[in-house]
């Protein structure tokens, strides 16, 4: 099995918490649509990448490597537009990395590229500020054994 490399060009959005709403005597549980645009972008990019790279879905355990590129706040720039020396590399604000991963793996399953998101048994992920306004994500799916150096002793 080869690697599948996916480039998503959209602002990453984490999976929101389920919400509850009362309708008369009934309570309805629903997922807010805030991550829908991101999930659709992941689905479309995954399908295109799988077609271009001739990726065949498998039921084998998979590893996932992800670099999320988040938008950089204006406060990280000088008045001239240059990046301040003190501007951080890592994005340590919302959305949470685990919520980003959930929306992304759910979208990979919905796209059909991953049969079930439970197949993803190893993850390497980082959340960085994008270079020069870039937002999105670089994803790599591969056989689980090729993406981790963990042994049976953890």
């Amino acid at each position: 099995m080869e690697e599948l490399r996916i480039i998503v060009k959209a602002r990453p959005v984490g999976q929101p918490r389920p919400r509850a709403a009362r309708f008369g005597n009934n309570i309805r549980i629903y997922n807010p649509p805030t991550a829908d645009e991101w999930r659709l972008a992941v689905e479309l990019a995954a399908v295109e990448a799988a077609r271009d790279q001739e990726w065949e879905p498998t039921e084998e355990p998979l590893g996932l490597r992800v670099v999320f590129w988040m938008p950089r706040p204006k406060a990280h720039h000088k008045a001239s537009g240059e990046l301040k020396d003190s501007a951080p590399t890592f994005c340590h604000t919302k959305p949470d990395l685990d919520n980003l991963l959930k929306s992304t793996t759910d979208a990979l399953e919905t796209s059909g590229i991953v049969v079930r998101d439970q197949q993803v048994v190893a993850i390497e992920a980082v959340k960085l500020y994008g270079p020069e306004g870039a937002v999105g994500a670089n994803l790599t799916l591969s056989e689980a054994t090729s993406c981790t150096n963990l042994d049976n002793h953890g």
Side-chain angles (χ1 to χ4, degrees), residues 113-134:
I113 301 308
V114 172
V115 178
R116 291 178 315 281
D117 65 358
Q118 300 95 316
Q119 289 175 256
V120 179
V121 298
I123 296 177
E124 297 176 34
V126 65
K127 188 173 65 162
L128 303 172
Y129 286 113
E132 298 183 27

Side-chain angles (χ1 to χ4, degrees), residues 67-144:
V67 177
F68 290 105
W69 298 105
M70 306 305 291
R72 193 176 278 285
K74 290 181 183 179
H76 289 187
H77 295 88
K78 299 176 185 175
S80 65
E82 287 183 59
L83 194 61
K84 292 179 181 177
D85 292 337
S86 61
T89 300
F90 296 98
C91 177
H92 57 280
T93 60
K94 289 186 177 198
D96 295 347
L97 185 58
D98 60 331
N99 293 335
L100 287 171
L101 288 166
K102 179 64 177 154
S103 62
T104 303
T105 56
D106 285 353
L108 290 172
E109 180 178 353
T110 304
S111 73
I113 301 308
V114 172
V115 178
R116 291 178 315 281
D117 65 358
Q118 300 95 316
Q119 289 175 256
V120 179
V121 298
I123 296 177
E124 297 176 34
V126 65
K127 188 173 65 162
L128 303 172
Y129 286 113
E132 298 183 27
V135 294
N138 295 350
L139 292 76
T140 304
L141 272 173
S142 62
E143 186 177 343

Side-chain angles (χ1 to χ4, degrees), residues 6 13 15 31 39 48 74 82 97 104 106 125 142 147 154:
I6 305 165
V13 178
Q15 182 65 34
N31 284 318
R39 289 175 57 150
E48 181 179 349
K74 290 181 183 179
E82 287 183 59
L97 185 58
T104 303
D106 285 353
S142 62
C147 72

Side-chain angles (χ1 to χ4, degrees), residues 34-62:
T34 53
D36 289 355
E37 189 174 317
W38 167 250
R39 289 175 57 150
L40 180 60
V42 173
E43 290 171 28
L44 294 173
V47 168
E48 181 179 349
R51 184 188 64 238
D52 293 348
Q53 298 170 49
E54 299 179 3
W55 170 271
E56 292 294 327
T58 177
E59 294 195 26
E60 296 300 315
L62 298 171

